Amino acid sequence: MDVVYAIENLTKFYPKQTSPANKDISFEIRQGEIFGFLGDNGAGKTTLVRQMVNLLRPTSGCISLLGQPVAGNPQHVANHVGYMPQIAHALNNMAVGEALYFTAHLRGMSRADARRERDTLLELWRMGPLRDKYSTRLSGGERRLLRLAVAMAGQMPVLILDEPTNELAPQRRRLVWDVLSRINRERGTTILFITHDAIEAEKVIQRVGIMRDGELVAVGRPGDLKQHIDQKLRLELFFAPDAPPQLPAGLAPHELQPGHWIALIERREASALLERLDLERLDDFRLYSPTLEDLYVHYAA
Amino acid sequence: MSTMLLDRRGQSTPVQWWDLFRMELTNWRWSWRSSVLQGTITPLFSLLALGFFARDSGREALLYVVTGNIVVSLLFGAMTSVESRVSWLRFQGGLDYIATLPVRHSAFVLAMVAAFLLLSLPSVIVTATVGPLLLGAPVHIHPLILLVIPACTAPLAGVGAALGMTGRTQQQSGNLRFLLTLVMTALGPVIVPPDKLPGFMMFLGHFSPATYAASALRQVMVGPVTARLALDMLVLCAVTAVSMAWVGWRMGRREE
């Protein structure tokens, strides 16, 4: 399989900061794969992808796209990569249809093809009724869908998407995963994305990279990585946020949100641990075999 | 490597410019308010207030008020709008969108300045026609005005773009622009005739593009057109080129 992106020993220090935002990162993205980045806030995921699309200068290391270094070659990246930033601000003052048409045309399509691309994307993302609405007047979720559609406009062979499902309602999150899966299958589009939505992303992710404190701590297929934790179980605890339960010694949970903790426990210790749980203060608890989110918790927490 | 991946190309530079120009023209959806309020009403009020006062100081003073306020219209219109636009792009993530499109930064800067030049024209035309009519100022339009108005607008729009790229925050860029607008209006013979200005303000006026814009406008609206117009146009074109080149370079520089 051809290598689309090759990242070698990438390190990034922001000015006046002593610890690196990215530390000696090396990995490859192969043509036609869906690669997901997981990691806590501040782990360095956005810093990494902004360097990959040439918006940020690395301190050291090398990033190559299709065999050519991206440094000093902004047109090369722009010709091949559709990028969706994390914050879905309005796209100038253009209407939705205008943004899609101009983006597709500037990316090399003929005017007729760009008009067809606009109509296809409006239908694909179910934004037909928004065609003439100005992007400044869209809701947060609508803007994110527009930024996704704009990243795709021109049938870009590589997509880099920073939190594509953030702020989206469940129905639209499903639409995002379905569309990404479909264009990957039908066009062979290489897709790299950052997400916190590990459970839903698991449906489409083919390889995953997990980041912690600026380092890439694990890269591989979810199935392969899960083998490292297959002797473990996922324990979820639900309780009133203002009255957390007392935990048995040795149980170190990760907070998903207030009143919702998750922990990985050894299979052989599960029964003993459950007997010692403070059930009085728990609204509910659940025990599962490991998921992608557990990989994230295992490596990143 | 698949050819589909390697053969991709964007559009030629003129086509990029035309698309970007049309995209930038969509800014009329917000900029018309600042064009009406700051580009038209502010200079008109200034023109009327100073004009009635200047009538007693003679014909020359009155004509300085009329032509000077067209420059004020450009300062408050073109320079303000372009500074706001660039600043908004920088701090609201819009530059990421432009920077990841296969377009030349110079084509984008040229398209933006050209679009705002067009968007500022209604304010300039209103100020240039209503002012002399209300004040009864004798103006004689020379055909070269068709070249002079774009030549006056472009450097001020370029300076606005440079200010938008300079501030550490959106508010700081806005404050710098407001300060510079006042300084450029006051320095040099823009609204006030040279014999009424102190020597140091006349001297400092040589470093302000507004001085050259006012001089060029006076020659094509009042006359006579002299060799000085060539110098004015040269300075205005140089300021345009330097400011736009700097903004294009700054846009292409990756964040540290």
Side-chain angles (χ1 to χ4, degrees):
Chain A
M1 198 181 280
D2 291 332
V3 172
V4 171
Y5 263 111
I7 284 84
E8 290 171 44
N9 308 114
L10 189 76
T11 295
K12 172 67 190 173
F13 280 90
Y14 282 109
K16 298 177 186 168
Q17 290 198 355
T18 50
S19 56
N22 286 154
K23 187 177 172 187
D24 199 24
I25 290 176
S26 298
F27 67 100
E28 288 179 349
I29 302 288
R30 296 160 199 154
Q31 191 179 334
E33 75 174 344
I34 301 183
F35 189 101
F37 268 118
L38 302 177
D40 281 345
N41 291 330
K45 307 179 297 296
T46 296
T47 298
L48 175 59
V49 298
R50 286 179 68 80
Q51 291 170 95
M52 291 172 71
V53 293
N54 227 0
L55 290 173
L56 196 60
R57 187 197 305 264
T59 306
S60 63
C62 181
I63 302 174
S64 302
L65 170 66
L66 303 168
Q68 294 183 32
V70 302
N73 204 353
Q75 295 295 303
H76 178 56
V77 178
N79 275 328
H80 295 90
V81 182
Y83 169 62
M84 175 197 168
Q86 186 178 31
I87 301 167
H89 286 300
L91 270 173
N92 299 340
N93 293 275
M94 289 185 282
V96 169
E98 290 170 338
L100 295 173
Y101 165 77
F102 282 122
T103 308
H105 186 245
L106 282 170
R107 284 177 173 161
M109 285 187 154
S110 69
R111 294 206 181 275
D113 286 346
R115 277 191 286 274
R116 273 192 289 277
E117 175 78 342
R118 171 197 63 201
D119 296 340
T120 304
L121 288 169
L122 286 171
E123 191 183 327
L124 188 66
W125 291 102
R126 299 178 194 165
M127 292 196 299
L130 302 178
R131 177 183 156 153
D132 297 319
K133 199 166 175 180
Y134 301 152
S135 69
T136 43
R137 295 185 185 167
L138 299 177
S139 69
E142 288 169 344
R143 276 186 198 175
R144 195 156 291 272
L145 285 191
L146 173 60
R147 294 306 298 250
L148 269 164
V150 161
M152 280 173 61
Q155 305 201 355
M156 302 305 278
V158 184
L159 295 180
I160 294 185
L161 313 171
D162 197 343
E163 299 197 22
T165 54
N166 205 11
E167 297 178 316
L168 293 184
Q171 200 178 353
R172 281 185 166 153
R173 285 209 298 270
R174 268 197 300 279
L175 174 68
V176 171
W177 300 127
D178 288 348
V179 169
L180 294 182
S181 184
R182 185 170 145 193
I183 60 165
N184 169 261
R185 201 173 50 246
E186 293 176 358
R187 295 184 197 158
T189 306
T190 305
I191 301 171
L192 184 152
F193 63 81
I194 291 172
T195 188
H196 291 288
D197 197 355
I199 289 178
E200 290 197 25
E202 189 163 10
K203 295 173 202 159
V204 299
I205 264 178
Q206 294 162 4
R207 279 203 312 145
V208 63
I210 300 175
M211 293 193 69
R212 183 182 63 205
D213 299 334
E215 289 185 70
L216 189 60
V217 290
V219 186
R221 292 193 313 116
D224 295 340
L225 293 178
K226 275 182 193 173
Q227 286 177 5
H228 297 291
I229 58 168
D230 66 352
Q231 292 309 309
K232 298 195 176 189
L233 292 172
R234 166 200 178 95
L235 174 65
E236 279 189 61
L237 304 174
F238 298 88
F239 52 89
D242 53 348
Q246 293 287 325
L247 294 178
L251 186 62
H254 176 76
E255 184 179 82
L256 287 181
Q257 52 186 300
H260 185 185
W261 288 349
I262 169 176
L264 289 179
I265 59 173
E266 297 293 336
R267 274 178 198 271
R268 62 178 184 280
E269 295 171 1
S271 306
L273 201 72
L274 290 180
E275 281 179 15
R276 286 183 283 138
L277 272 185
D278 182 6
L279 296 177
E280 292 290 318
R281 290 196 171 192
L282 286 177
D283 294 336
D284 192 8
F285 73 89
R286 294 172 197 168
L287 200 59
Y288 307 93
S289 55
T291 64
L292 189 58
E293 190 167 65
D294 301 321
L295 277 179
Y296 167 37
V297 170
H298 177 73
Y299 285 103
Chain B
M1 191 64 61
S2 118
T3 43
M4 180 199 85
L5 283 178
L6 288 178
D7 285 350
R8 294 183 64 92
R9 289 280 182 278
Q11 302 290 355
S12 66
T13 306
V15 175
Q16 288 173 22
W17 180 87
W18 179 237
D19 271 8
L20 291 165
F21 174 68
R22 289 166 65 199
M23 286 162 72
E24 286 302 295
L25 276 183
T26 64
N27 284 301
W28 72 266
R29 290 165 184 158
W30 64 269
S31 74
W32 69 268
R33 292 180 191 87
S34 98
S35 291
V36 170
L37 283 171
Q38 300 192 49
T40 312
I41 293 176
T42 307
L44 269 183
F45 271 97
S46 159
L47 192 141
L48 290 176
L50 291 170
F52 287 120
F53 177 71
R55 273 206 290 212
D56 297 335
S57 304
R59 176 180 174 273
E60 193 193 11
L62 185 62
L63 292 170
Y64 266 86
V65 168
V66 169
T67 51
N69 273 291
I70 297 172
V71 177
V72 171
S73 165
L74 292 174
L75 284 170
F76 276 106
M79 194 165 98
T80 298
S81 299
V82 173
E83 180 277 318
S84 305
R85 168 79 181 134
V86 173
S87 199
W88 184 88
L89 281 172
R90 260 182 85 203
F91 295 103
Q92 301 297 326
L95 275 189
D96 287 358
Y97 169 64
I98 303 291
T100 52
L101 284 177
V103 297
R104 288 178 176 277
H105 297 125
S106 53
F108 173 70
V109 179
L110 276 171
M112 179 173 59
V113 169
F116 278 96
L117 194 155
L118 202 61
L119 296 173
S120 336
L121 274 185
S123 306
V124 174
I125 291 168
V126 169
T127 312
T129 51
V130 174
L133 277 176
L134 288 177
L135 295 175
V139 293
H140 308 284
I141 304 293
H142 192 283
L144 278 175
I145 196 168
L146 294 175
L147 284 180
V148 166
I149 284 187
C152 292
T153 313
L156 299 181
V159 170
L163 288 173
M165 290 301 284
T166 305
R168 286 184 185 167
T169 62
Q170 210 166 343
Q171 191 182 18
Q172 193 186 56
S173 291
N175 290 341
L176 270 174
R177 181 250 308 152
F178 184 69
L179 184 68
L180 200 64
T181 302
L182 294 181
V183 168
M184 285 165 75
T185 308
L187 288 183
V190 177
I191 297 179
V192 181
D195 56 324
K196 301 276 193 301
L197 277 176
F200 79 95
M201 286 175 80
M202 280 294 292
F203 172 75
L204 291 175
H206 288 116
F207 302 99
S208 163
T211 304
Y212 300 90
S215 163
L217 278 168
R218 270 195 306 277
Q219 290 174 72
V220 294
M221 289 187 70
V222 181
V225 172
T226 66
R228 163 77 201 213
L229 183 63
L231 172 70
D232 294 332
M233 296 288 272
L234 192 70
V235 172
L236 293 170
C237 291
V239 174
T240 305
V242 170
S243 59
M244 285 169 50
W246 186 81
V247 172
W249 171 78
R250 188 78 174 70
M251 273 185 69
R253 218 183 68 169
R254 293 180 295 170
E255 278 176 54
E256 290 294 338

